[in-house]
């Protein structure tokens, strides 16, 4: 069945280091979304990518959508303690308005 | 003026009981969702609903039933609670515009079944 996997599952970095999480789908996606969930919080929408090869930036965050539209990445430059949380990608199911969420990458930033 | 609200925030109950979680959105969105997040933080879609269509994820037991009295509300009713139902349940909403499905999540309800 359709699956969305993320690696790594956990990542510890020193503050100031870069961080990347990768998202891979077993099927081609029409679009992909990224969410951030702070500890004890709820997922918050970050961005949606639609076009093949698309790259979008939000300050220190860079999002990419693969050429084949089956993978995506989120890169954070010079992490800060405020970046702590779990980052999820989400891809649409083949039918309906539902999304498969990736397995998530939990980021810990060590001050 | 919370966009998506859920009650209660915490729910502790015994096996076999029936419970409901309420969700309201004031964003005027046409689609609402229920997600289950387990202890490993995996987020799984349970239902999506708009005024035309209810889509049930095939892995959801029929003990779970969504009830929508109107467009702004989607409540989750759970019968005969089991230990494995313990999780955080998130309600979400979105307005589907072409391919854009930005979802707004509620604060979550932590359900503990003892």
């Amino acid at each position: 069945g359709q699956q969305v996997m993320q690696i790594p599952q956990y990542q510890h970095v020193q503050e100031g280091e870069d961080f990347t999480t990768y998202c891979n789908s077993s099927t081609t996606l029409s679009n992909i979304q990224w969410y951030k969930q702070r500890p004890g919080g709820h997922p918050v929408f970050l961005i949606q990518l639609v076009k093949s090869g698309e790259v979008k930036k939000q300050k220190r965050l860079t999002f990419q959508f693969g050429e084949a539209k089956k993978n995506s990445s989120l890169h954070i430059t010079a992490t800060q303690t405020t970046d702590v949380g779990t980052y999820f990608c989400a891809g649409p199911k083949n039918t309906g308005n539902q999304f498969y969420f990736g397995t998530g990458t939990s980021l810990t930033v060590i001050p | 003026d919370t966009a998506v609200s859920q009650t209660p925030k915490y729910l502790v109950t015994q096996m076999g009981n029936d419970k409901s979680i309420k969700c309201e959105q004031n964003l005027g969105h046409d689609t609402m969702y229920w997600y289950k997040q387990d202890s490993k933080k995996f987020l799984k879609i349970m239902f999506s609903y708009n005024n035309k269509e209810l889509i049930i994820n095939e892995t959801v037991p029929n003990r779970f039933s969504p009830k929508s009295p109107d467009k702004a509300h989607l409540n989750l009713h759970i019968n005969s609670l089991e230990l494995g139902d313990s999780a955080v349940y998130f309600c979400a909403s979105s307005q589907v515009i072409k391919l854009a499905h930005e979802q707004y999540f509620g604060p979550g309800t932590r359900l503990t079944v003892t």
Side-chain angles (χ1 to χ4, degrees):
Chain A
Q2 191 176 358
Q3 291 186 14
V4 179
M5 304 297 291
Q6 275 182 259
I7 54 170
Q9 189 174 358
Y10 301 98
Q11 184 80 61
H12 291 69
V13 299
Q14 289 287 145
E15 189 172 16
E17 290 182 341
D18 293 355
F19 159 78
T20 304
T21 172
Y22 300 91
C23 177
N24 295 290
S25 170
S26 57
T27 59
T28 301
L29 302 170
S30 58
N31 62 84
I32 196 155
Q33 297 181 347
W34 284 93
Y35 290 79
K36 176 184 178 182
Q37 184 177 18
R38 292 181 187 272
H42 57 276
V44 174
F45 175 83
L46 294 177
I47 207 161
Q48 177 168 295
L49 305 172
V50 178
K51 298 178 184 175
S52 170
E54 188 170 12
V55 178
K56 285 189 176 180
K57 290 192 174 186
Q58 290 179 351
K59 297 183 180 177
R60 295 178 295 103
L61 277 60
T62 302
F63 304 85
Q64 284 191 307
F65 199 9
E67 293 290 342
K69 301 183 81 172
K70 294 180 74 174
N71 56 70
S72 181
S73 65
L74 159 58
H75 179 82
I76 302 178
T77 304
T79 54
Q80 299 175 359
T81 54
T82 53
D83 295 326
V84 165
T86 302
Y87 292 84
F88 292 97
C89 62
K93 282 191 173 185
N94 293 330
T95 57
N97 296 326
Q98 296 191 353
F99 277 74
Y100 282 114
F101 273 71
T103 45
T105 296
S106 178
L107 172 64
T108 300
V109 179
I110 305 163
Chain B
D1 58 345
T2 305
V4 182
S5 59
Q6 291 179 232
T7 54
K9 191 170 173 62
Y10 301 96
L11 182 55
V12 181
T13 188
Q14 291 184 326
M15 285 175 55
N17 285 347
D18 302 339
K19 289 293 179 185
S20 292
I21 306 172
K22 295 185 177 182
C23 177
E24 177 181 1
Q25 56 98 1
N26 62 7
L27 297 166
H29 287 168
D30 59 11
T31 305
M32 297 182 72
Y33 311 82
W34 276 105
Y35 287 87
K36 178 181 180 181
Q37 186 170 47
D38 63 22
S39 57
K40 294 183 179 179
K41 295 220 162 218
F42 295 146
L43 261 173
K44 285 193 174 180
I45 180 76
M46 300 177 71
F47 306 98
S48 65
Y49 184 81
N50 63 23
N51 55 10
K52 299 174 186 175
E53 190 177 23
L54 169 66
I55 299 178
I56 303 170
N57 186 296
E58 60 275 5
T59 64
V60 175
N62 58 15
R63 298 180 294 103
F64 290 78
S65 56
K67 298 189 190 304
S68 180
D70 55 57
K71 186 178 163 182
H73 296 83
L74 184 65
N75 303 324
L76 181 64
H77 189 75
I78 316 169
N79 289 326
S80 303
L81 279 156
E82 300 178 357
L83 292 176
D85 297 333
S86 295
V88 179
Y89 291 84
F90 287 101
C91 175
S93 72
S94 71
Q95 182 68 27
V96 178
I97 303 174
K98 294 184 180 178
L99 289 179
H101 292 251
E102 177 180 345
Q103 296 178 64
Y104 291 79
F105 282 77
T109 296
R110 182 174 293 277
L111 172 65
T112 304
V113 183
T114 60

